[in-house]
Amino acid sequence: MTLRTRFQTAVSLIYPARCLNCGGLVESDFGLCSACWRDTSFISGLVCHSCGVPVPGEDDGQIVRCDDCLQTPRNWQQGRAAIIYSGQGRRLVLALKHGDRTDLVRPASAWMGRAAADLLTNDPLIVPVPLHWTRLVRRRYNQSALLAQALAAREGQDCCPDALIRSLQTPMLEGRSRDERMTILRDAIRPHPRMGCRMQGREVLLVDDVMTSGATLSACASACIVAGAASVNVVVLARVTAA
């Protein structure tokens, strides 16, 4: 047994691995216990081509879209999501977003990498949804940027955390309709004056923590297109679904 192995064994005895959600004992770091894993709605099987939400049916290789995306066509090409924003999934996202649980970034980026595996094959530039600087000061970190950087590091891809800027301070969008969100976000997100050029001619993969109506991602995709992106796809940690 090497010295490093002995040290890791000693640490694990003193600080045993805990479930990211409930704190119960687990076999390895950055994991969920069996109960929390069971209660977290990971997305698998046939999904909407545009937003990644699960849809009924068997995967026969044809492109399918959910009712939401048929009603509101997206201005990006493809979208994927790792989990459903409900139950344990919602608690994990809120802990990352508002509870300083940045330790969730590493496993969350792995879940997103699995969900977006087919979107990572063409060497995309990974770009997070930006926060306005005033909100960034209050929160102290942009959870979407942390997810984007972790995903890029895991997949060996390029990441530009400041390719986009939120130039207008917008109100909270929670509880607002899609039309209201679109109006609020109009002209609020733009390419960075200096860094936006990195998107020129590149396939861009936008990263966010949650997709609700898709208005924020739509505003970001528009900014990427203005900057000259060849195409835009999106991946989110969690997707809000209809009740």
Side-chain angles (χ1 to χ4, degrees):
M1 182 181 292
T2 65
L3 180 61
R4 180 178 180 181
T5 302
R6 290 176 181 176
F7 176 76
Q8 290 175 333
T9 301
V11 169
S12 66
L13 290 173
I14 300 171
Y15 303 104
R18 298 283 181 175
C19 173
L20 289 165
N21 188 60
C22 71
L25 293 175
V26 293
E27 293 184 357
S28 60
D29 291 328
F30 307 108
L32 295 172
C33 68
S34 58
C36 290
W37 183 275
R38 184 179 61 250
D39 293 339
T40 302
S41 299
F42 288 92
I43 295 174
S44 61
L46 186 62
V47 299
C48 172
H49 183 77
S50 297
C51 74
V53 74
V55 292
E58 297 293 330
D59 187 356
D60 59 1
Q62 300 297 311
I63 292 176
V64 295
R65 290 183 172 86
C66 66
D67 291 342
D68 197 28
C69 290
L70 288 172
Q71 180 179 350
T72 307
R74 311 300 183 177
N75 62 342
W76 61 80
Q77 276 66 50
Q78 298 184 63
R80 299 292 183 269
I83 59 178
I84 297 296
Y85 187 72
S86 65
Q88 300 285 16
R90 180 176 183 273
R91 281 187 279 275
L92 288 169
V93 172
L94 292 178
L96 169 61
K97 192 168 187 174
H98 300 298
D100 292 336
R101 289 289 309 280
T102 56
D103 58 305
L104 294 170
V105 168
R106 179 176 169 183
S109 68
W111 304 336
M112 294 169 73
R114 286 196 292 270
D118 57 336
L119 307 184
L120 291 162
T121 57
N122 293 325
D123 191 30
L125 178 66
I126 298 179
V127 173
V129 169
L131 284 180
H132 191 265
W133 70 267
T134 56
R135 190 164 294 167
L136 182 59
V137 167
R138 290 196 301 271
R139 191 174 294 171
R140 293 176 286 110
Y141 60 89
N142 177 0
Q143 71 281 356
S144 298
L146 295 181
L147 290 169
Q149 289 171 309
L151 177 62
R154 178 180 292 275
E155 301 294 334
Q157 306 282 5
D158 293 336
C159 179
C160 188
D162 49 0
L164 299 174
I165 58 172
R166 194 178 291 246
S167 56
L168 299 178
Q169 185 177 3
T170 55
M172 298 296 290
L173 300 178
E174 188 173 354
R176 298 179 185 269
S177 69
R178 176 184 281 108
D179 289 343
E180 289 174 328
R181 290 168 182 249
M182 295 294 290
T183 300
I184 289 170
L185 288 165
R186 186 174 297 131
D187 300 323
I189 298 174
R190 300 177 181 177
H192 190 285
R194 294 186 303 277
M195 304 304 295
C197 61
R198 290 188 59 185
M199 295 184 285
Q200 177 72 40
R202 293 288 302 274
E203 180 176 304
V204 170
L205 180 62
L206 285 171
V207 171
D208 204 4
D209 56 345
V210 180
M211 183 193 304
T212 304
S213 69
T216 299
L217 286 162
S218 179
C220 290
S222 294
C224 294
I225 294 167
V226 167
S231 63
V232 181
N233 296 315
V234 306
V235 60
V236 297
L237 173 57
R239 177 71 165 100
V240 175
T241 59

